[in-house]
Amino acid sequence: MSDKQPSPEVRPYEPVQAPNLRRITANAIRRRKGKDAFAVVTAYDAPFGRFAEEAGIDLILVGDSLGNVVLGYDETTPVTMEEMIHHSRAVMRGTSRAHVIVDMPFGSYQVNDDEAVRNAIRLVKEGGACSVKLEGAQREADRIRAIVAAGIPVVAHIGVTPQTAGLGPGYKVRTNHDRLLAEARAVEEAGAYAIVLEVVDADLAAAITKAVSIPTIGIGAGPHCDAQVLVLHDLLGMYPHSPRFAKRYAELGSAAVDALRSYASDVRERTFPSAQ
Ligand code: KIV
């Protein structure tokens, strides 16, 4: 045996970042049904993913609202798989514990089950998604079944479905009790582990929450859902207008403009940078 000591450069392997073994699972979210109400928020990049996690929010949605609030589109329909993957990766890099749901963009699951499964797999493999969300409950129940069968947890989304808002009653509050209840049961039966209820009458959302065994996540659907979700830019006041159901917890839009104005003025007046 050689008594030669290893050279100082030879060090045991140390991962740069500890492997992430603690992401909250879809099953853990499902078990929150009927317990304390919990908050969900959208995020689209690493810093805001990290802020959400630091605030104790551990269910984050990379929503296709990305199109409206970050990419400058008027609707969600132009959002592509590549854009969802790009932003999902950023949120994953900024978080370590949160369960990150990623929206399937319009066109990624409408054609058939195979294409839906292939795109859901891309969101997981390339985007790092912990689970995926898709809108609808008619044909989409089959899509949910197929994606779950491929091993990917799915969140359903019923009520107002922005990707197809142009087809039906648009953004009007949904009140059709029998229809919504049937849709909630259909997506539950198909294997969804949670359901977003968007702009649904509060009593109807309460009835659905009671009728299904999976958590309901309300947005404009009253206080009786198992969880609430808000679009980050609405709750932080980044735009002049927010939907009537969204509470503005900050006014970051005007704070940002004020800060930028002060910076520009300091540069003009040569008070920034200070002399060295
Ligand atoms: O895209 C999104 O942000 C959403 C929420 C409004 C639920 O689907």
Side-chain angles (χ1 to χ4, degrees):
M1 212 168 101
S2 158
D3 57 0
K4 220 172 128 199
Q5 295 297 310
S7 74
E9 297 80 34
V10 180
R11 290 198 309 275
Y13 168 69
E14 266 179 19
V16 177
Q17 216 179 350
N20 182 359
L21 303 174
R22 295 184 305 117
R23 287 251 177 217
I24 292 163
T25 63
N27 268 338
I29 303 292
R30 189 183 178 141
R31 286 196 296 271
R32 294 185 184 182
K33 172 75 189 174
K35 307 219 170 98
D36 288 344
F38 56 98
V40 185
V41 70
T42 66
Y44 315 93
D45 59 21
F48 279 98
R50 192 172 63 245
F51 294 156
E53 216 172 51
E54 280 176 18
I57 295 176
D58 46 28
L59 187 52
I60 293 175
L61 169 66
V62 184
D64 63 354
S65 49
L66 169 73
N68 306 89
V69 299
V70 175
L71 299 180
Y73 299 130
D74 289 337
E75 296 173 353
T76 57
T77 43
V79 176
T80 64
M81 280 291 295
E82 279 63 33
E83 287 164 341
M84 293 308 299
I85 288 168
H86 179 82
H87 287 270
S88 170
R89 288 166 72 101
V91 172
M92 292 303 290
R93 284 192 292 267
T95 57
S96 61
R97 180 182 144 74
H99 184 96
V100 177
I101 307 163
V102 181
D103 255 340
M104 298 197 69
F106 182 71
S108 69
Y109 61 95
Q110 279 80 3
V111 175
N112 58 39
D113 287 355
D114 286 352
E115 204 168 302
V117 171
R118 210 170 292 120
N119 281 319
I121 290 173
R122 282 194 71 197
L123 292 178
V124 170
K125 282 183 81 89
E126 298 173 44
C130 307
S131 57
V132 300
K133 173 167 86 57
L134 57 88
E135 296 181 5
Q138 288 164 346
R139 269 188 316 280
E140 295 80 6
D142 285 338
R143 305 287 189 265
I144 293 171
R145 204 170 280 111
I147 297 168
V148 171
I152 299 171
V154 178
V155 176
H157 180 155
I158 64 174
V160 166
T161 47
Q163 291 178 4
T164 50
L167 281 179
Y171 289 86
K172 280 210 182 99
V173 180
R174 299 300 195 263
T175 54
N176 188 329
H177 182 277
D178 293 351
R179 179 177 171 165
L180 262 280
L181 202 55
E183 289 186 352
R185 288 197 166 119
V187 296
E188 175 188 25
E189 192 271 325
Y193 76 88
I195 319 176
V196 169
L197 303 179
E198 182 163 353
V199 193
V200 172
D201 168 74
D203 290 340
L204 175 50
I208 293 171
T209 300
K210 219 163 162 188
V212 296
S213 65
I214 54 179
T216 55
I217 305 173
I219 174 161
H224 303 298
C225 297
D226 295 294
Q228 298 291 330
V229 60
L230 279 179
V231 169
L232 181 77
H233 291 56
D234 293 337
L235 87 87
L236 293 182
M238 310 254 261
Y239 286 105
H241 305 290
S242 340
R244 63 174 169 72
F245 53 75
K247 180 168 168 185
R248 295 169 77 96
Y249 287 85
E251 291 299 336
L252 292 201
S254 52
V257 174
D258 287 349
L260 291 166
R261 209 174 265 139
S262 301
Y263 163 62
S265 150
D266 284 356
V267 171
R268 255 191 324 270
E269 289 163 23
R270 298 194 184 279
T271 54
F272 175 84
S274 51
Q276 283 168 347

